Amino acid sequence: MSKRFSISKYSCVLLCYMVAQIGLVAQEHPSLILTKKGVNEIRGKLGTVPLLDASLKEVKKEVDREIAWGIDIPTPKDYSGGYTHERHKRNFLMMQKAGVLFQILQDEKYANYLKELLFGYEAMYKSLPVHPKKRSYARGKLFWQCLNDANWLVYVSQAYDCIYDWLSPKEREELEKNLFRPYADFISIANPQFFNRVHNHSTWGNAAVGMIGLVMGDEELVNRALFGIAKDNINPNAKDNDGGYIKTQGKTGFYANLQEPFSPDGYYTEGPYYQRYAMYPFLMFATGLHNVKPELKVFAHKDSVILKSVKTLVNLTDSDGEFFPFNDAQKGMSYQSRELTTAVDIAYHYGNQAPELLSIAKKQGRVLLDQSGLAVAKAIANGEALPFKKESVHFSDGSNGDEGGISVLRNGDLELVFKYTAQGLSHGHYDKLSFMLFNKGVEVLQDYGMARFVNIEQKGGGNYLNENTSWAKQSIAHNTVVVNEKSHFNGQYEIASKNHSEAYFFSTAQPGVQIASAKEKNAYPGVQMHRTMAVLKDADFEHPLILDLLKVNSDQEANYDLPFYFIGQLINTDFEFEIKNPVAALGTANGYQHLYLEASGRTASENLKFSWLNNKVFHTLTSLTGSEDELLFTRIGADDPEFNLRRDAGFMIRRKQSSDTLFASIIETHGGYSPVSELSLNSKSSIVALKQFINDDLYTAIGIQHQNGNQKLFVLANQNADKSAKHELKINNKTYQWKGPFLFTDINE
Amino acid sequence: MSKRFSISKYSCVLLCYMVAQIGLVAQEHPSLILTKKGVNEIRGKLGTVPLLDASLKEVKKEVDREIAWGIDIPTPKDYSGGYTHERHKRNFLMMQKAGVLFQILQDEKYANYLKELLFGYEAMYKSLPVHPKKRSYARGKLFWQCLNDANWLVYVSQAYDCIYDWLSPKEREELEKNLFRPYADFISIANPQFFNRVHNHSTWGNAAVGMIGLVMGDEELVNRALFGIAKDNINPNAKDNDGGYIKTQGKTGFYANLQEPFSPDGYYTEGPYYQRYAMYPFLMFATGLHNVKPELKVFAHKDSVILKSVKTLVNLTDSDGEFFPFNDAQKGMSYQSRELTTAVDIAYHYGNQAPELLSIAKKQGRVLLDQSGLAVAKAIANGEALPFKKESVHFSDGSNGDEGGISVLRNGDLELVFKYTAQGLSHGHYDKLSFMLFNKGVEVLQDYGMARFVNIEQKGGGNYLNENTSWAKQSIAHNTVVVNEKSHFNGQYEIASKNHSEAYFFSTAQPGVQIASAKEKNAYPGVQMHRTMAVLKDADFEHPLILDLLKVNSDQEANYDLPFYFIGQLINTDFEFEIKNPVAALGTANGYQHLYLEASGRTASENLKFSWLNNKVFHTLTSLTGSEDELLFTRIGADDPEFNLRRDAGFMIRRKQSSDTLFASIIETHGGYSPVSELSLNSKSSIVALKQFINDDLYTAIGIQHQNGNQKLFVLANQNADKSAKHELKINNKTYQWKGPFLFTDINE
C-alpha cells in the first residue's frame, strides 16, 4: 500500500479518509448497482409500473432466448465484428442481465446460467494468452484490445454482485483468485499505458477495476481505480492507435478522468459520441461508489459535473435525438443507445429528479432494472414527465471552462452547431471554427463524421480506417477555412492538443437572434480567424437566416479555401461553371487527395448564389465574392481504394493570394417540394444583394437586401465583446448607436 | 353531325344508341360528379362521418384561406414551376373545391368567389393568344401546353356544374359562349395532334371536352370527346416532345383511350406514374357519364377495366405505397396523391365496394366530397376496412393482354419488379427484361426513374431534361443486359414501339417460390434474351433469395454488359480491383457517356461476390463469372453540365466476345447493422459456391451451396413453359423428374 500514498497531497487526503471508512460496514450483496433495499422495492412494485414491467419483460425474453440457445465461450480470435468478439460481448451483456433477473425474479435458472458462464471464463482465463490480433497499443485477452476487456469486467462485476451471496464462499474464492483479480491486474498493472491515462479508455479501465474491487471488498483495487498506478514508466511521448498521447503528466485514475475532460458546463472534451461511450463506466462506477461508499459523495464531485453532463449530452443531439457528429463520431448514434438509458435514469434518480429527463426516458421506451429505473418508471406513470426543451446553448470546453467551447443555435426547425473547442484528445478533428447545419434533424451542411464502420469486420476489422486520418480528420473535410491547402496545426496532434480556440461571445438576448462568435489564432502561424455565426429571425423571410461572417487576417498573402458540404441536389447557381472530363483529385495531401474536382466557375458579380434541394426543402447560399474567386464543385471519394468514403458533394470558395479578407454568407431555408403533390413552393432566394459596408479592425458591417426592398444591417464589433460597451458607427451617412458586440436592425432609407 | 358517323361501325352503333338517349331526361344540376341526391345525402350525414367531416374541414380551410388571399388571374407567361403556371393551376383546383363547398355548405360566398373567377377567365380568354412559351408540340393558352389547359377544364367543368343553377341563364350563356365552348374547341379542333391520340394527353383532352359537354348539355362536345375528331390531317410520322408518335391509326377519343392502353388485367401501358396521372380524367369523365348517361354503362366497359385498373395501380406500389418507378416516373409519387384519392373512392363506390380499398383510403386520410367519398367514409366508420394484401402478381400488357407484361414477386419484406412489357408509348424506357428490388419499401437495386424535376422551374422549366433521353431512357441505365454498348432497339422509338417482350411463365404454385420468366427476341437483331427471376424462400437462409438467370444467345460474338445499380455502401468483394485516377466516362454514347468508371477488377474464381450495406441491411450478389469477365465499378454523373443526375453507384459485369452465355446470380439479403447498438449481425454471405451444372437449349441448371453443406438445385426448362409437361434430367449422375417449367429442390448427396 505504501506506494500508493506517494501520488499527491490531494489523493493522499482523500485516500486516508476512504481507508478510514472501509470495513466499518459489513458489506451486503447486491450492493453495487442494485441494492437489497432496491430489489425489495422493485419486487414490491412488479405489475404496477408499466415501463418497468415492459423493460423487465423485454430483458427476460432476451435472456431466456439466450439460455435456450446455449453457452459458448470461444477461444478469442477475431477483431470487432468477428464471431469471437461479438460472442464475448454478448456474453457479458447477458451476464449482467441474468444477474438482475435473478435478483428481481428470484429464479435460480438465471443464477445457474450466470455461474456456468463465470466458471467457463474462470477455466479459460487461467491459461489465456494475450489476444492474437496485434493492432492495439494495449492488447486484451478476451478481446483484441484492453478496452473491450474492461467493458467485460464493468458488466460482469455487476453480474457477480447479483449472485455473490448465492455462491458458496469456496466458489467466490475460486472466481476471485483465478478470474477477477488477475483480470483486474491485467488491464491495469500489466497495461498502464491503457489504465493510467486521461481518456475514455482509462475511464473504462478504472471503472472495471474499481467495480470488481467494490464487489470483492478489495480496497487495493478500489484505490487503484480511483487514483491510478503510481509508477507506470510510460514514455511521455508514447501515443495510442489514434495518435493521441498516452500520458497526461501526474493525472491518473477515476478522479482525474472526472476532473480533466469535463468542463464546468458538463461538456466532455472528446465530444458527444465518446461522451456517450464513457458515460456508462463513469455512471456505473459512480453509482457503485455512491452505494458502497456514500461518504465519498462522488456524484457531487466538481459541482455535480457527472450528472450535469447528462443534460449537456442530450442538448448535443438534433431534433431526432442523434448526437451532433463532430470529432470521430458515428452518424445515427443517439439517445436511444443503451448507455443513454443508463445516463438518463441515473441522472434523474441520483440527481435532482429533473422532470424533463423523463420525456427522454419515455422516448427510450425502457428503463434500467434497478432503483433508478424504478424511480423513472414510477414518475412517468405518475404523469410527471415534462418536455426536454432544447434551446440555444454555449458549452465551454476545458477542465476549467476556459478552452473555447461549442454553441448550438436553435430557432424553429434549424439547428446550427458551431465548434471552437480544444482539440478533444485523440479523437478530435482539425476543425477549428467549423459548423454544421440541420433542418428538422436532417443534415443540410454536414460534418463528415468518422471514416469507420464500427464492428463491421469486413471494413478494416471494424476499426478506424486509413481514410479517417487522411480525410475525416483533415480540415478540408469540414465547413471551415483552410489556408494554403494545409490542415490546422499542420495536422499535428502535438501542436493541436496544446491549443484551443477562444470564445468571443454568445448571446440570445435579442429576440429572434441567436449568435456565437469565436476566434482562432493558432491554427496557422501568423493567421487570425474570427468567425461569427447567427440564426436571425426576420419577418421578411420565411425561415430564420443563417449568417456566417468569417474574417481572416494573415501577416502574409495566402490562399484560402472555404468549403460548404451541402447535402442534396444542386438546383441552380447564378454563375457559370464548366464540368471537368476526366475528373481528377483536387490535390495530393491533407485530405485534398480525396476530393474530386467535378466543375469550376467564376462570377463577375459581387455575390454568388448556390441553391440546393435537401429533404424536400430548398436552401440558398448567398455569399460575397468577386471575379478573383474560384468556385469549385467537389465530390468526396478520390484515392479511396476500398470505397470507404461516401460520394458526397461539396461547394468551395477558393480565394487566392489574399492577406486580410472577409467571407460573408447568408444561408436561406425556403419553400419546399413534394413529389406527391408535385408542387414546388418558394423555390428561389429572397435576397437580391448582400453588401459589405465596412470591414476593418474594429467593425464588420454587412447589408442584406430583400427582394421586397427592405434592407437589414448587421454590424459586428471585432475587438470588444463587452455586453454593455457602447458603439457608434456611421454607415452610408447614417449614424448607428448600439450597446454590445453586435447590431442587427432594419435599414430605413 | 354527319361527319361523325363515318368513323367506324363500332362507333356508329354506339353513337346511334347514345343519340337516341340524349335529351330524354331534363338535366338537373349538379349532375356531373356530385348529384342533387348525393348532395342531400352528404348534407344529411354532416357531423356523423369522421373522415368526411375531416376532409370537408380541410377543404374549407384551404378555400377560405385562398378567398382571404384574393383572386389573381395573371397573364400567362411561365413554364411549370413559374408563377403564372402555378397560379392558374391553383385557381382551377380551388374552383372545383369552391363549387363543392357551395353545394354542401350552401354558403354563397363560395359561389360568388367561383363566379368572379369564372368571369375573370371569361374576360381574359376572349382575346387570349396562344401561350408565349414555344416548347410544346401543342401549345395551350393559359398554360404552355394544351395538356395543362385540359387539366383546367376537367376541374372547372365540375365547378361550373356546382353553380350552374345558381347562375342566371344569361350568365351561363356568356360563360359558355365566350369561355367554355371556345376553350373546348381550342384544345380539340385547333389541336388535333393533342386531342386525337391514344395517350394520357388525349385522355385529359377528351375528358375536358366531354365533361364540359355533359354540364352544358352539348351533345356535339360529348360525342367529340367519346369518339375523337374524324378528320385530323395529322401526319402519321409526326411525334410529340417525348419522341412518341402522335397518331395511332383509326383510334381516337375516350373509348379508344380506354380500349387501347389498358390490358385486360388493368395494366396501363405507360406504367403506374402516368396511370396515376391519367386516372383522374378517366374516372371523372366516366363518373360524369355514369351520372348523366347511365345507359352507356361506361364503368362496365371492357370487363370493367377502368375500375379494375385501380387495384392494379395499388398493386404496383411498394410497401410504403410509392409507385414502382419504371418508365418516366418521379420517385416518391404514391397512393397519397390526390388522383389516387379519387381513384380509390370511385373504384370503391362505383365498383363492387371492395373492403380492402378502404384500408388504402384510411391511409390517405381523406375522401372526395361527393357520393363516393361519403360511401367510403361511412364504410370506414362502420369498421368495414380490410387490409389490402399485396401479393405476387403478373399483369399482362397490351390491349388484348398479349404484349408481355410485368411481375411483382413478393415475399416477406422483399419486392422484386420484373419488366417485360411493350414499350409503353413515349414515356417508355429501353429496359427490356430489367428489374428492380426493394426491401421494406427501400430500393436495393434501383431503376433510375426519370431525369426531371417536375415543376421546379430552375431545372429546365420543370420539364424533361436532356439527360432523360441521353441517360434515363437508355438501356444501360437499367438492371438489364446491354449488347455492344447500344440500347435496345438501338434506342429508336419507331422500332421499339412495334415490339414487346414475351411472358414465358409466372408461377406462385410451389410454396415459397415466386417466379417469372420472359423472353426478348427483338431488342437486338440476332440476339435472344431469356431472363428468369425468382424469390426463393429456403430454411437455410435468413431471408428469401433472389435468383436471376439471364441466358443470352447471339448469332455472332458480341460484348455484354450487365449492370446492377445497387444503393448503399460497398462492404466488400471477394476479388481485387483497382481504382482509377483520374476518372473518365465509360463511353461516349447511349448513356455510357454519363457513367464514370471508378474502378475495375477481375477474378480467377468461378464466382464473384459483391456485398453492400443498404438501409442498415446487408446484401450480397454472388454471380457466375470467370477470369475473362471485367468487373466494373461505375458512378452516374459524367457529362452532366448542370448537375441534373444523382451520383449513384453501379456494379457491372462485362463479358466480351461471347455468343451464347449465361449470367446467373443470387442476391442474398442478410443480417443488419445498427448505428445505435453498433451491432453488426450476419454480415457475410452464406453461399460458398454457385455452380452451373447445365446450360443448353433445353435446360439451365444451377447449384447453390450453403456454408452448412446443404445444396440446392434450380433447373429451368428453356423451351417448354407448360405447367403439366413432364421433365427428366440427369445431373451429376442423379436423375431428377418433375412437372412444369422449373424445379427447385434440395440436392441430397
Side-chain angles (χ1 to χ4, degrees), chain A residues 273 330 333 454-455 457-459 569-570 577 583 598 635 641 643 647 673 675-676 678 680 683-684, chain B residues 273 330 333 454-455 457-459 569-570 577 583 598 635 641 643 647 673 675 678 680 683-684:
Chain A
Y273 176 72
Q330 159 129 281
M333 180 56 81
V454 183
N455 292 332
E457 197 189 13
Q458 298 95 315
K459 284 291 197 189
Q569 181 91 28
L570 176 69
F577 56 84
V583 168
E598 289 196 327
R635 176 94 34 198
F643 287 87
R647 296 302 189 263
Y673 182 72
V676 175
E678 297 191 333
S680 163
S683 67
K684 293 174 185 170
Chain B
Y273 176 72
Q330 160 130 284
M333 179 58 80
V454 183
N455 292 332
E457 197 189 13
Q458 297 96 314
K459 284 291 196 190
Q569 182 92 28
L570 176 68
F577 56 84
V583 168
E598 289 196 327
R635 177 93 37 198
F643 287 85
R647 294 303 189 262
Y673 182 72
E678 297 191 334
S680 162
S683 68
K684 292 174 186 171

Side-chain angles (χ1 to χ4, degrees), chain A residues 338-350:
Chain A
R338 62 176 183 277
E339 298 93 340
L340 266 283
T341 302
T342 305
V344 167
D345 290 4
I346 289 181
Y348 177 82
H349 183 58
Y350 298 104

